[in-house]
Amino acid sequence: MASSASTFTPSPRPALTGRARVFLLRLRSGDEVAHLITLIFASAILLITVLLAFELYRNSALSREKFGWHFLTTRTWDPVFEDFGALPFIFGTVVTSAVGLLLAVPVGVGAAIFLAELAPPRISDALAFVIELLAAVPSVIYGLLAIFTLVPLLRTVVQPFLKEHLGFIPLFQGPNYGVGLLAAGLILAIMIVPFIVSISREVLMAVPVEQREAALALGATRWESTWKVVVPYARAGILGSVFLAMARALGETMAVTMVIGNDPKISSSLFAPGYSIAAVIANEFTEATSDLYIHALIELGLVLFILTIILNGLARLLILATRRKGTAHP
Amino acid sequence: MKKLSALHLVLTLVVVGLGLTLVIGPKTRLVAAPPPPPSLINGAGATFPYPIYSKWFDEYHKLHPDIQINYQSIGSGGGIQQLKAGTVDFGASDMPLNDQLLGQFSFKVIHFPTVLGAVVPTYNIPGVNAELKFTPEALAGIYLGKITKWNDPALTGPNAGANLPGQDIVVVHRSDGSGTTFVWTDYLSKVSPDWKSSVGSNTSVRWPVGLGGKGNEGVAGLVKQTPNSIGYVELIYAIQNNQPYGRVRNSSGDFVKASLASVTAAAAGVAGQMEKDVRISITDAPGKEAYPICSFTYLLIPTRIADGAKRKVITDFLHWMLANGQTMVESLNYARLPKSVVAIERKSLGQIQ
Amino acid sequence: MNYRLVWRKSVNAVMLSLTGLCTLLTVSVLFFILGYLIWNGAGAINLDFFTKLPKPVGETGGGMANAIVGSAKLLLLAALTGVPIGFMGGVYLAEFGGKTFSFLVRYTTDLLNGVPSIVMGIFAYTMVVLPMKHFSTLAGGLALGVMMIPIAVRSTEEFLRTVPMTLREGALALGASKWKAIATVVIPAAFRGILTGIMLDLARVAGETAPLLFTAFNNRFWSPGWNQPTASLPVMIFTYAIAPYDDWHRQAWAAGLVLLGLVLLANITARVVLSRKLSSAAG
């Protein structure tokens, strides 16, 4: 309808209804766009995780079909005759993690108690920081150190000592190599202690001061108040930290593969070499010469993935429980 | 005006540092004129010949600065698998691929023997410096887990003066898929029916006993650090690390030490058979001077290489390997290919399209 | 004197000193690691280490220049993939999230965080290396990037939440739209915390070896571009540590020292910056 350039009459648009109009307004103001963009990225995270789980599932199909649930209970790992079983690796993973936890939990909780209850705040912060730095040390460096310090120490001093004095227990019998389940368990313990310390320290410090004061008022010693009142109060959180540490220990690859001995056998002695799920994948993945072999290795990865999911889930629940308990106070 | 905080400073340093390394890094190649776009070839496989391969590829790079052949020693099993998956341009294996394995490939592959090497039993026994003599029965027994102490009669018999201790033998084998394992188990299968029926020979077997080391390097490393241990490694690994290695009794009854002469002797006489098929086993070879645990090692090259530039690089390198490359092998204690084998290979070069 | 009291008092003393001992033990490990690395590695750190390529097997000398550059490239790629996704995801969770979807996102982020690094390597191998028919820096960088996401999400969300509501409300009251308020007021306020979180994340991922074993693989030469295999510091440390050559051991110590030094530097800087931020926010 417009004829001259000086006047411009826009052609009529259909009238917008309420919701669409509000949407367009917000779109123009950028809010919906921002919402959309961040939503897309957040969904990307979902997508990636789902894809990961799917790929693990899909690429282990051959092995799952052939072996079924027996995969988890078979002891053989024979690439020549294509008979694969996860048991030696589950055994190695569980045993080394158990040894690691057995050593790390007392030391970790002990240190957490010291830092939360006894140390003056500034020293507690400083020392806690140093311990957190330990958590930042890469796994391969722990492995590097373990090869040249821990393994010779075990072979020349610790294991002979254990064999001599506790040799009647099957755990401490058998040839002494240095590398083996004990070495892997020890290095894992060193690696997971920082996690136990920092989380336990936090949950211990979150225990309301009234609890402590009540115990002390009743005549308890410092230790008794800590051990019998504070720690039980924070029990769930400490347990949560243990589960988290366990989940971490299960997935540790480099340090373990450098000292575990790489032998897929189940034995009753801690001195014997073993194998963990992560270690066997690291060693054999690039050379699995048949599709079934690769799928078996990926199935091992799937097993590990599921184990860590379960443990992490439990851990989060437990830590959440303590936090809620600690803050829900009149 | 915001003050410069420590964070800003560190961040700037990190960004500048990263930027500098990314920019300067690749350029510190000491080549004055801008080099032509590099030809990059990736290969992977056997650790058995790794010392000579890494030397070859290094020398070849010095001669042709625009050509980089990146070889990773991940074990023969890895070389075969990655070639099959197509993630590398060539593979390397001490174990020749049998027809069944070749059938799993979606393309045709030729075997190019490169050098001859020996697998030696290396050991670390504190206090024992003598050179030990091993019978085939002793080696099989140790690796089967039947001979468990160093002062077992099977070992003290041939080594009367050596003063072997009553310690447990720590057996070391490969944890990865290995052509060296193939050679070792191939030999054990030939000399021990027990071994053949219970374990067999392949790049990866079900070991009755022992610790696993990754690569020849890993086995040598474990033996070096573990007292009273025994492992099997390619000759050069024992020599480069100053580790003792023993003599092995050959089919003529003599205890022979691995050397250029004894390895070359093992390959004598097989050249005729290789005319038809270069894939051959020379373990427990006949001959008075022959060392019984030797092997050819092979480069696995696809016959069809689509990329013209890559094809040229690979064929040129193989030509060079058969001529100049062969002159370097003896310094690393590998034996040269027999002349007739070189001739056979030159002919097969034509098959690479 | 009451025996029971004496007993309780001595238990008290013993147990409390034991906890002190545990602390001492744990703390001393870090100093032991540092000390040992310095003792063995300092001597091997020379100009060659930073500028030369590795030498053929069995020959002494050479350096890890290509590994240092390789690690830098991998980290750059990891940051480019992990940080945007993590940051935006964190912004979503803190500012826009709906109830159920947020729960889902948080749950899967936690899941992703728990994935063992070797499994991440498998994932990158099947998704990137096999289709590309190449080991590559790209595959390695992507694997590391995905590993960075969970911590980036968590620290972004946490630090955004610490920004007081008054700041947001003030911006909105002045007429800013929601996204403008977030972009120009909230995020800058939380910026320092988020950045330090990301820096710590990078430091953690810099030391990862397992995901690189079958993605970035290894390379004895320079790795041009992004689709060729590359050397990296952690993989070199691993390769050299398990080998028998003494010269390689020396270089492994040096590389370990360099890597650990960088990681510790990042962590200490982050802590210093954060504590200053907290004190400046409180004061």
Side-chain angles (χ1 to χ4, degrees):
Chain A
M1 233 169 75
S3 41
S4 70
S6 50
T7 52
F8 173 64
T9 324
S11 46
R13 269 197 222 135
L16 287 170
T17 49
R19 282 185 79 179
R21 187 182 191 156
V22 172
F23 178 78
L24 268 176
L25 267 172
R26 288 178 77 192
L27 193 68
R28 246 196 279 144
S29 73
D31 278 350
E32 286 305 324
V33 173
H35 191 156
L36 206 65
I37 294 179
T38 52
L39 183 71
I40 291 177
F41 278 96
S43 331
I45 302 176
L46 259 170
L47 218 79
I48 292 177
T49 317
V50 168
L51 192 64
L52 177 75
F54 177 67
E55 282 290 310
L56 279 180
Y57 190 73
R58 182 172 74 100
N59 287 316
S60 58
L62 284 176
S63 171
R64 278 181 293 108
E65 277 156 22
K66 179 157 184 203
F67 301 113
W69 290 106
H70 280 295
F71 186 69
L72 296 173
T73 50
T74 315
R75 290 173 79 136
T76 349
W77 184 263
D78 195 336
V80 180
F81 296 105
E82 301 235 302
D83 190 14
F84 299 108
L87 199 59
F89 309 103
I90 297 180
F91 175 77
T93 310
V94 168
V95 167
T96 50
S97 303
V99 170
L101 280 168
L102 258 157
L103 293 167
V105 171
V107 174
V109 174
I113 291 176
F114 180 80
L115 291 175
E117 304 287 308
L118 293 172
R122 298 193 76 176
I123 297 192
S124 174
D125 276 341
L127 286 178
F129 175 59
V130 171
I131 293 179
E132 272 162 30
L133 282 180
L134 267 177
V137 174
S139 174
V140 72
I141 293 189
Y142 275 113
L144 176 65
L145 270 148
I147 293 184
F148 294 106
T149 53
L150 190 65
V151 169
L153 188 72
L154 278 175
R155 189 181 57 236
T156 50
V157 176
V158 179
Q159 283 180 191
F161 177 82
L162 287 169
K163 197 163 177 180
E164 216 187 292
H165 297 278
L166 297 171
F168 51 90
I169 310 176
L171 281 179
F172 302 118
Q173 287 169 1
N176 172 16
Y177 304 105
V179 295
L181 293 169
L182 186 60
L186 264 172
I187 197 71
L188 275 179
I190 300 178
M191 292 173 78
I192 61 180
V193 155
F195 294 97
I196 298 182
V197 172
S198 62
I199 299 181
S200 299
R201 174 175 169 263
E202 259 187 52
V203 296
L204 282 172
M205 294 200 317
V207 172
V209 72
E210 294 88 26
Q211 298 282 330
R212 286 188 198 90
E213 289 180 349
L216 291 173
L218 287 170
T221 59
R222 278 307 281 285
W223 171 252
E224 283 166 351
S225 127
T226 307
W227 188 245
K228 297 200 170 138
V229 176
V230 181
V231 168
Y233 194 91
R235 191 176 38 210
I238 297 180
L239 200 61
S241 79
V242 171
F243 275 113
L244 242 127
M246 203 188 319
R248 185 82 211 208
L250 289 180
E252 244 335 300
T253 317
M254 302 318 291
V256 170
T257 191
M258 286 156 106
V259 300
I260 198 172
N262 299 331
D263 193 19
K265 294 226 180 48
I266 300 182
S267 103
S268 57
S269 165
L270 284 179
F271 297 168
Y275 227 154
S276 77
I277 297 180
V280 70
I281 298 177
N283 279 328
E284 299 191 5
F285 194 75
T286 45
E287 57 205 36
T289 42
S290 71
D291 281 344
L292 183 61
Y293 196 173
I294 299 180
H295 282 225
L297 284 169
I298 296 185
E299 191 177 348
L300 276 176
L302 188 64
V303 169
L304 190 61
F305 184 46
I306 295 177
L307 267 169
T308 42
I309 290 178
I310 297 175
L311 280 170
N312 266 307
L314 278 167
R316 301 272 163 221
L317 279 170
L318 281 168
I319 296 184
L320 212 65
T322 336
R323 288 234 182 96
R324 228 176 264 144
K325 200 158 119 195
T327 52
H329 225 39
Chain B
M1 187 65 203
K2 275 190 14 199
K3 280 195 289 181
L4 259 191
S5 64
L7 176 62
H8 285 117
L9 214 58
V10 171
L11 264 185
T12 324
L13 279 174
V14 166
V15 169
V16 170
L18 272 180
L20 275 178
T21 45
L22 284 177
V23 166
I24 296 185
K27 294 216 166 72
T28 56
R29 260 201 265 156
L30 315 173
V31 175
S39 252
L40 294 144
I41 313 279
N42 288 305
T47 59
F48 181 91
Y50 186 39
I52 184 63
Y53 285 3
S54 70
K55 187 159 180 74
W56 275 348
F57 297 132
D58 196 60
E59 291 294 321
Y60 201 71
H61 177 63
K62 288 195 198 137
L63 291 171
H64 306 268
D66 57 325
I67 295 181
Q68 280 176 201
I69 306 180
N70 172 32
Y71 179 79
Q72 291 299 324
S73 70
I74 57 177
S76 303
I80 299 170
Q81 180 51 26
Q82 295 311 315
L83 183 63
K84 204 185 342 168
T87 53
V88 292
D89 301 307
F90 68 89
S93 167
D94 318 317
M95 176 179 87
L97 308 179
N98 57 23
D99 291 327
Q100 190 205 19
L101 253 177
L102 280 176
Q104 293 176 10
F105 279 71
S106 58
F107 49 88
K108 196 160 174 289
V109 170
I110 328 181
H111 290 72
F112 274 92
T114 48
V115 291
L116 281 151
V119 181
V120 299
T122 178
Y123 48 88
N124 173 1
I125 313 173
V128 173
N129 291 318
E131 190 179 82
L132 296 180
K133 301 189 175 76
F134 295 98
T135 60
E137 295 78 26
L139 288 175
I142 292 176
Y143 272 82
L144 278 169
K146 302 217 166 117
I147 298 181
T148 55
K149 295 217 186 267
W150 279 111
N151 60 357
D152 188 287
L155 292 164
T156 51
N159 297 295
N163 237 331
L164 292 167
Q167 301 285 349
D168 292 325
I169 304 181
V170 178
V171 178
V172 182
H173 55 72
R174 293 285 288 270
S175 64
D176 50 330
S178 153
T180 316
T181 296
F182 171 73
V183 178
W184 185 255
T185 51
D186 183 45
Y187 170 72
L188 287 179
S189 298
K190 282 189 186 166
V191 300
S192 162
D194 211 359
W195 180 271
K196 188 172 172 139
S197 55
S198 53
V199 187
S201 73
N202 205 321
T203 53
S204 218
V205 298
R206 203 162 143 223
W207 298 98
V209 289
L211 305 172
K214 196 166 174 32
N216 263 299
E217 309 91 328
V219 172
L222 264 176
V223 170
K224 189 167 180 168
Q225 291 176 358
T226 316
N228 302 311
S229 59
I230 182 172
Y232 58 88
V233 293
E234 208 284 327
L235 177 60
I236 190 62
Y237 287 90
I239 294 181
Q240 278 178 341
N241 292 289
N242 297 315
Q243 275 169 252
Y245 55 99
R247 292 173 177 262
V248 182
R249 197 182 66 201
N250 66 8
S251 50
S252 311
D254 295 319
F255 286 95
V256 182
K257 191 156 184 193
S259 68
L260 283 175
S262 56
V263 171
T264 315
V270 299
Q273 291 168 269
M274 290 178 79
E275 186 87 30
K276 272 184 44 203
D277 193 345
V278 290
R279 303 174 291 170
I280 193 166
S281 158
I282 51 173
T283 49
D284 209 27
K288 230 182 153 311
E289 321 267 312
Y291 179 70
I293 323 181
C294 308
S295 175
F296 280 96
T297 182
Y298 306 87
L299 280 176
L300 304 168
I301 317 277
T303 50
R304 294 206 121 267
I305 303 178
D307 184 333
K310 277 194 186 167
R311 192 184 337 127
K312 185 164 190 322
V313 169
I314 292 180
T315 35
D316 281 351
F317 171 76
L318 287 170
H319 268 295
W320 178 88
M321 182 273 289
L322 289 170
N324 303 49
Q326 291 293 310
T327 59
M328 300 178 193
V329 311
E330 293 186 347
S331 63
L332 286 170
N333 290 83
Y334 293 93
R336 299 175 65 140
L337 296 170
K339 286 208 175 60
S340 42
V341 177
V342 173
I344 297 171
E345 292 189 47
R346 279 199 208 279
K347 267 192 265 172
S348 12
L349 272 173
Q351 288 182 38
I352 304 179
Q353 307 286 332
Chain C
M1 198 60 207
N2 189 340
Y3 282 127
R4 182 151 168 77
L5 187 62
V6 170
W7 170 250
R8 285 170 58 215
K9 281 207 167 147
S10 24
V11 165
N12 187 51
V14 166
M15 293 312 277
L16 292 181
S17 6
L18 271 182
T19 60
L21 196 67
C22 290
T23 316
L24 200 67
L25 209 68
T26 320
V27 169
S28 58
V29 171
L30 183 69
F31 292 110
F32 177 73
I33 295 177
L34 264 177
Y36 208 82
L37 277 176
I38 294 178
W39 180 261
N40 282 296
I45 295 189
N46 47 26
L47 200 61
D48 271 4
F49 179 80
F50 290 101
T51 53
K52 292 247 172 76
L53 289 175
K55 281 244 168 116
V57 174
E59 295 181 26
T60 55
M64 289 203 191
N66 57 348
I68 296 176
V69 172
S71 274
K73 284 165 79 170
L74 285 167
L75 284 176
L76 189 66
L77 200 56
L80 284 174
T81 27
V83 172
I85 300 181
F87 178 70
M88 287 296 192
V91 170
Y92 177 81
L93 286 177
E95 306 293 321
F96 291 107
K99 227 157 180 250
T100 34
F101 194 65
S102 287
F103 172 73
L104 264 177
V105 173
R106 277 202 197 92
Y107 183 68
T108 45
T109 308
D110 256 353
L111 254 162
L112 203 58
N113 196 32
V115 173
S117 53
I118 191 87
V119 173
M120 205 60 86
I122 297 180
F123 182 52
Y125 179 76
T126 53
M127 296 247 73
V128 186
V129 175
L130 279 184
M132 266 181 80
K133 294 228 171 249
H134 251 308
F135 291 108
S136 61
T137 314
L138 187 70
L142 284 177
L144 293 180
V146 172
M147 290 185 73
M148 280 189 74
I149 292 176
I151 298 192
V153 169
R154 203 182 305 156
S155 54
T156 308
E157 190 192 350
E158 260 184 49
F159 282 105
L160 282 177
R161 282 195 193 281
T162 61
V163 175
M165 273 315 268
T166 49
L167 233 66
R168 288 168 223 266
E169 290 171 355
L172 290 171
L174 286 170
S177 56
K178 185 170 180 190
W179 78 269
K180 260 226 176 94
I182 296 174
T184 56
V185 175
V186 181
I187 290 181
F191 190 63
R192 224 190 247 181
I194 298 177
L195 206 62
T196 52
I198 291 179
M199 195 161 60
L200 284 175
D201 205 5
L202 261 175
R204 181 187 85 117
V205 136
E208 287 290 342
T209 322
L212 297 178
L213 289 175
F214 17 92
T215 49
F217 209 38
N218 204 347
N219 197 330
R220 300 198 67 79
F221 300 101
W222 296 110
S223 170
W226 303 95
N227 65 348
Q228 289 292 330
T230 180
S232 56
L233 272 179
V235 172
M236 288 298 258
I237 296 177
F238 177 59
T239 314
Y240 279 15
I242 58 175
Y245 305 102
D246 284 326
D247 193 56
W248 280 16
H249 292 168
R250 250 184 358 101
Q251 292 191 39
W253 290 117
L257 186 58
V258 169
L259 184 62
L260 188 62
L262 288 171
V263 166
L264 289 182
L265 184 66
N267 274 277
I268 295 176
T269 314
R271 172 55 78 100
V272 164
V273 165
L274 272 179
S275 66
R276 264 216 258 140
K277 172 187 200 252
L278 283 172
S279 60
S280 74

